[in-house]
Amino acid sequence: MIASLSPSLTEPSLISSMGSVSPIVAPSLYSISLIHSPRKSRNLRLRASSTSLSMETTKDIIDVPISKKVLVPIGYGTEEIEAVVLVDVLRRAGADVTLASVEQKLEVEGSSGTKLLADVLISKCSEHVFDLVALPGGMPGAVRLRDCGVLEKIMKRQAEEKRLYGAISMAPAITLLPWGLLTRKKTTGHPAFFGKLPTFYAVKTNIQVSGELTTSRGPGTSFHFALSLANQLFGETTDKSLEELLLLRDGFQNPKTDEFNSIDWSLNHTPRVLIPVANGSEEVEVVIIADVLRRAKVDVTVASVERSLRITASQGTKIVTDKLIGEAAESSYDLILLP
């Protein structure tokens, strides 16, 4: 694709801000060319050229990074922590992430009950090229992904064309293995499904990178999984910056847990917790809090303070809440948590 710059965009001050350009180059002949390489970083290249009747010279080339395209498919029973952490971290890294439903509708309920609203149906992604396709796990989410013919074709093409793909938790064993995408690849996965992996290539580690394939163990390793993929897409500098931004560096991982005002609760009923959310709430915090408490058999209500049950979180993930805050206010709660 080649598009000439208009004269209004070739003023000396604008040209100098784009890079060092020789003064002998005629401004009206600047052009932009999009250079595509499957395994290398995609860059927008500004090529300055000068032509005359007798000669053509090419001057400076300036690389401007273009966003990487990432696909994260979800289905009924997908592990919401794994899906949301992938989307959140990779969007913070600068990726153009598409959350796609393998169901017949955009609204998908995760394995612990959180409802996510996908961006598109998976059928809309069949002809697109992605720099990375990453599968969350969960049950029966991994089975729903496995049984999606469109997704299987996308993943097989991804592997054949040597582009990045990944899976976490149950997805390596339940989804990728039946598709033949673990052949001669060192792989890790959820401990409960570890025995299903090819014995010789199974590795007990939190993160395993084997060529274009990256695998990980489960919800607790979701951040490490997402950061590893961000590193492969954007480099170590982005990875380290995200670790600091998300407070994942060692200095923050094991803070002191001294309790200065300890309180013992004694309840004779199932604990009830309210999590109010709004547009712009941090999706990782909302989903992790709700997921962990629900696993502990707590009765969790996620309530929207907006006029709609649907809220758009800080990194663009759409969450479908249980109630509006007005309806939720009619009940009493043992604990209210603000993300």
Side-chain angles (χ1 to χ4, degrees):
M1 179 185 72
I2 298 178
S4 297
L5 292 175
S6 64
S8 62
L9 294 179
T10 56
E11 296 295 333
S13 60
L14 291 178
I15 295 172
S16 63
S17 68
M18 293 189 291
S20 174
V21 178
S22 171
I24 68 170
V25 179
S28 62
L29 296 177
Y30 280 90
S31 64
I32 296 178
S33 59
L34 184 63
I35 313 297
H36 181 281
S37 175
R39 284 289 294 150
K40 295 182 179 179
S41 174
R42 290 169 174 75
N43 288 321
L44 184 66
R45 290 192 168 184
L46 303 182
R47 186 183 299 276
S49 61
S50 173
T51 58
S52 66
L53 292 176
S54 59
M55 65 177 292
E56 178 176 316
T57 61
T58 300
K59 298 300 179 185
D60 300 327
I61 295 178
I62 307 139
D63 286 342
V64 182
I66 288 182
S67 177
K68 304 288 186 177
K69 293 189 178 297
V70 176
L71 175 65
V72 178
I74 57 173
Y76 173 74
T78 285
E79 173 51 67
E80 49 262 65
I81 287 180
E82 295 164 359
V84 169
V85 168
L86 271 171
V87 173
D88 185 287
V89 171
L90 292 174
R91 280 178 176 163
R92 289 176 189 269
D96 177 5
V97 182
T98 299
L99 188 65
S101 168
V102 302
E103 308 295 343
Q104 298 300 311
K105 57 182 182 179
L106 294 177
E107 185 177 315
V108 176
E109 183 174 338
S111 60
S112 293
T114 300
K115 300 180 184 72
L116 302 176
L117 192 66
D119 301 314
V120 296
L121 298 179
I122 193 66
S123 57
K124 299 292 185 180
C125 304
S126 59
E127 302 302 321
H128 291 265
V129 175
F130 295 95
D131 298 283
L132 165 68
V133 182
L135 309 184
M139 289 295 283
V143 174
R144 305 292 287 184
L145 298 187
R146 180 199 66 193
D147 294 342
C148 177
V150 174
L151 179 59
E152 181 178 358
K153 290 178 182 178
I154 290 173
M155 287 298 285
K156 287 183 174 178
R157 185 176 70 231
Q158 192 79 6
E160 288 168 0
E161 297 179 359
K162 304 295 183 183
R163 293 193 298 273
L164 298 177
Y165 64 106
I168 186 172
S169 189
M170 294 86 165
I174 300 300
T175 312
L176 294 186
L177 182 61
W179 291 347
L181 296 181
L182 299 185
T183 305
R184 293 186 294 277
K185 297 285 189 182
K186 289 185 177 180
T187 310
T188 191
H190 195 283
F193 293 83
F194 199 77
K196 295 183 179 294
L197 298 174
T199 304
F200 184 75
Y201 289 96
V203 181
K204 291 184 177 180
T205 182
N206 286 342
I207 300 291
Q208 179 59 48
V209 180
S210 184
E212 294 79 26
L213 171 65
T214 302
T215 50
S216 188
R217 302 189 78 188
T221 63
S222 295
F223 279 104
H224 301 291
F225 181 52
L227 287 169
S228 174
L229 295 172
N231 190 331
Q232 294 174 63
L233 287 171
F234 297 102
E236 187 176 356
T237 300
T238 297
D239 177 6
K240 298 302 181 185
S241 296
L242 286 169
E243 282 187 350
E244 292 182 355
L245 177 66
L246 296 167
L247 305 185
L248 290 172
R249 286 292 183 94
D250 289 343
F252 297 102
Q253 285 180 334
N254 298 299
K256 292 184 177 180
T257 56
D258 295 336
E259 178 58 67
F260 296 102
N261 298 289
S262 62
I263 298 176
D264 293 327
W265 286 2
S266 179
L267 302 174
N268 57 6
H269 60 270
T270 300
R272 303 191 66 197
V273 175
L274 174 65
I275 305 175
V277 296
N279 290 328
S281 289
E282 174 51 65
E283 51 261 74
V284 168
E285 295 168 359
V286 174
V287 170
I288 290 178
I289 292 170
D291 186 289
V292 171
L293 290 177
R294 283 171 174 158
R295 288 174 191 264
K297 309 303 181 185
V298 173
D299 180 5
V300 177
T301 298
V302 179
S304 170
V305 303
E306 308 292 348
R307 295 183 178 181
S308 169
L309 289 175
R310 298 177 178 180
I311 65 110
T312 301
S314 63
Q315 299 304 313
T317 301
K318 300 177 181 65
I319 298 173
V320 182
T321 60
D322 304 312
K323 297 179 180 180
L324 296 178
I325 193 66
E327 182 184 356
E330 296 174 2
S331 301
S332 60
Y333 301 91
D334 301 293
L335 177 64
I336 299 176
L337 296 171
L338 304 182

